Amino acid sequence: MIYKRLTSLSFIFISKLASSYLSSVILNKTNELRKRRRDRVMAIKNLLVLAVLLSVIGVSVANPKGLDLNYYKHRCPDAEAIVRRTTVQYVSRQTSLAAALLRMHFHDCFVRGCDGSILLKSPTKDAERDAIPNLSVRGYEVVDAAKAALEKKCPGVVSCADVLALVARDAVLVINGPWWPVPLGRRDGRISRKSEVNLPSPFAGIAALKKNFFDKGLNTKDLVVLSGAHTIGISNCGLINSRIYNFTGKGDFDPSMNPSYVRALKKRCKPTDFRTSLEMDPGSVKKFDSHYFNIVAQKKGLFTSDSTLLDDAETKTYIDTQVSTAGSSFNKDFSESMVKLGFVEILTGNKGEIRRKCAFVN
C-alpha cells in the first residue's frame, strides 16, 4: 500500500515536472519566434526608412555606393547592438560626448571621406588628429571600446569607419536626438595627413561654406541643417575673442552680432581668456532640438559661420521656417543630411582595409 502510494506520488511529481519543462520550452520557443518576428519587422522598417531617405537624396536603394543596412548580417549579426551598448555606457555617463562624437564623424568625413582616417595616430604627430582644428576632438575612447568589443566577437570584420558612423548616430540617440539609418560596408583608409585637414572654418562666410559642402557632394540645405548640430555644441572663448573685442583691428565687435549678446559674452570671456567654455546654444545645449535656429535668427550665433547663415536666401528661409514652426521638420531633415554625409568619398570593395585597431593601420 505504501509502495503504491509512493509510486502514485512519484508519477504525479514527474508529470508536473514534465509539464513544467514543456511549458518552459514552449514559452522560450514562443519568445524566440516573437524576437525573430520583431527583428524582421525592424529590418523592414529600416529598409523602408532608408528607401525614402535615399530616394529623396537621389541615391540608388538597391546598392547605395556599395553600402548595405544588412552588410554584417551573416558575418557579425550583433555588430550594431554591440556598438550601441558600448556607446550608451559612455554617453549616458557623460552626455557631452554626444556632441564630441558627432563632430568627430563630421571631421572624419570632410577629410578623405568617411574612412576613419581621423582615428589614426602618427608617431611624428602629423596625422589628421594632430591638425589644429582636431586638437579639441575627443571621444576616441568610445570608438576604441566599441571596436575592441567587436574584435572579440567578430575579429577582422567590422571597419573602424563603420564603427564611427554608428557611434555618432547612437550617441545622438542617447540624448533623445533623431535616429537615422546607417548603411554599412565602409572600409578603413590607410592614409591620414595633418596637411590635408581643410575643414569648414568657424570664421568662414557663406560663400566659402557653400563651396566646402558642394565639394563633398552636399548642398546648401545640408549646410544649414547640419549646422543645427551646434544645438549641442560647446566651444571656448579663444575662438570668439577677436570677434567681440577687435573684429576689424579697431577695438570693435562684429556688427552682425546682437549687441546684448556681445555684452553677455564679454562678461564671460576676458580679452586674454582662451579656455573658458561657451555653449553654442545657450539654455538648450543639453537638448537636441531646433533652438539653435532661434538664436541664430536673433543674431546670437557664436561663430561667424553661424551668423552668416542669415546672409543667404536659402539658408535664411530655412532658419525662419524652423523658428516659425518650432522645428517641425528639423529632425527629419537632420536624418536625411546625416545619411548623405555618411556616403562622402567612402572606400568599399577592395579599397582600404579593416583595421584591427582603429588608431593604427594593419
Side-chain angles (χ1 to χ4, degrees):
M1 181 66 72
I2 293 174
Y3 173 76
K4 288 182 178 180
R5 189 173 180 183
L6 286 173
T7 302
S8 176
L9 288 173
S10 297
F11 177 77
I12 292 171
F13 174 74
I14 291 170
S15 296
K16 286 184 176 180
L17 188 64
S19 176
S20 175
Y21 173 74
L22 285 173
S23 296
S24 175
V25 169
I26 292 170
L27 180 61
N28 288 339
K29 192 65 177 176
T30 301
N31 287 338
E32 183 181 342
L33 290 171
R34 284 176 179 169
K35 183 177 182 301
R36 287 179 181 176
R37 193 177 297 114
R38 283 198 304 269
D39 289 344
R40 282 198 298 271
V41 171
M42 181 59 71
I44 292 170
K45 285 183 177 178
N46 286 350
L47 284 171
L48 288 173
V49 171
L50 183 63
V52 172
L53 289 177
L54 296 181
S55 65
V56 170
I57 62 179
V59 178
S60 166
V61 178
N63 187 21
K65 295 188 179 180
L67 302 188
D68 188 341
L69 280 173
N70 295 312
Y71 188 81
Y72 297 113
K73 180 179 179 180
H74 300 294
R75 297 176 65 201
C76 193
D78 296 327
E80 289 198 50
I82 291 169
V83 173
R84 185 180 305 113
R85 187 161 54 246
T86 303
T87 305
V88 169
Q89 288 173 353
Y90 279 86
V91 179
S92 59
R93 293 196 302 261
Q94 190 179 351
T95 54
S96 64
L97 278 171
L101 291 163
L102 184 59
R103 179 176 179 237
M104 183 191 291
H105 180 43
F106 181 86
H107 282 212
D108 181 48
C109 292
F110 258 75
V111 182
R112 288 190 160 269
C114 308
D115 67 345
S117 52
I118 194 173
L119 304 170
L120 288 170
K121 288 183 177 179
S122 165
T124 55
K125 300 293 182 183
D126 61 354
E128 287 176 32
R129 65 159 68 192
D130 302 305
I132 290 175
N134 288 333
L135 292 178
S136 56
V137 169
R138 62 192 183 90
Y140 295 104
E141 69 278 11
V142 184
V143 179
D144 290 341
K147 175 63 172 174
L150 286 166
E151 286 299 297
K152 288 181 180 178
K153 184 79 173 181
C154 322
V157 173
V158 183
S159 69
C160 296
D162 276 347
V163 173
L164 179 52
L166 288 169
V167 163
R169 189 269 308 275
D170 293 340
V172 171
L173 204 58
V174 171
I175 60 170
N176 299 314
W179 176 92
W180 60 90
V182 179
L184 302 167
R186 298 167 190 79
R187 303 267 293 177
D188 296 324
R190 296 189 180 97
I191 299 170
S192 183
R193 297 188 182 115
K194 178 180 178 179
S195 60
E196 293 182 351
V197 176
N198 183 26
L199 297 163
S201 168
F203 311 110
I206 191 67
L209 292 173
K210 288 172 73 170
K211 185 179 187 306
N212 288 148
F213 275 68
F214 291 169
D215 288 347
K216 299 300 175 182
L218 303 173
N219 60 30
T220 303
K221 183 178 179 181
D222 298 317
L223 164 59
V224 64
V225 169
L226 293 177
S227 294
H230 287 174
T231 185
I232 55 172
I234 299 288
S235 187
N236 59 67
C237 293
L239 284 175
I240 57 99
N241 268 358
S242 62
R243 193 176 183 216
I244 62 176
Y245 282 110
N246 197 26
F247 187 64
T248 64
K250 299 177 181 178
D252 54 350
F253 63 85
D254 184 346
S256 69
M257 299 178 77
N258 187 316
S260 66
Y261 184 47
V262 174
R263 288 194 293 272
L265 288 173
K266 284 184 174 179
K267 287 180 180 179
R268 187 165 180 82
C269 299
K270 300 307 176 185
T272 57
D273 181 359
F274 297 95
R275 294 189 176 184
T276 299
S277 63
L278 294 169
E279 296 178 355
M280 299 192 71
D281 186 4
S284 186
V285 74
K286 292 184 179 180
K287 185 179 180 183
F288 196 103
D289 57 19
S290 65
H291 187 261
Y292 163 82
F293 299 112
N294 294 55
I295 63 127
V296 172
Q298 296 165 15
K299 298 187 176 182
K300 295 180 180 179
L302 187 64
F303 296 150
T304 299
S305 60
D306 298 312
S307 298
T308 197
L309 296 174
L310 297 175
D311 298 332
D312 177 84
E314 186 176 349
T315 54
K316 185 179 186 303
T317 297
Y318 185 85
I319 291 169
D320 292 341
T321 300
Q322 295 310 308
V323 172
S324 63
T325 63
S328 61
S329 70
F330 176 53
N331 279 3
K332 171 181 168 292
D333 295 337
F334 191 81
S335 296
E336 290 176 2
S337 290
M338 286 303 299
V339 171
K340 287 182 68 175
L341 177 68
F343 286 129
V344 171
E345 298 173 3
I346 56 173
L347 301 176
T348 58
N350 294 323
K351 297 178 181 178
E353 64 181 9
I354 304 298
R355 286 184 223 137
R356 287 187 288 274
K357 291 189 176 182
C358 292
F360 306 98
V361 296
N362 292 341

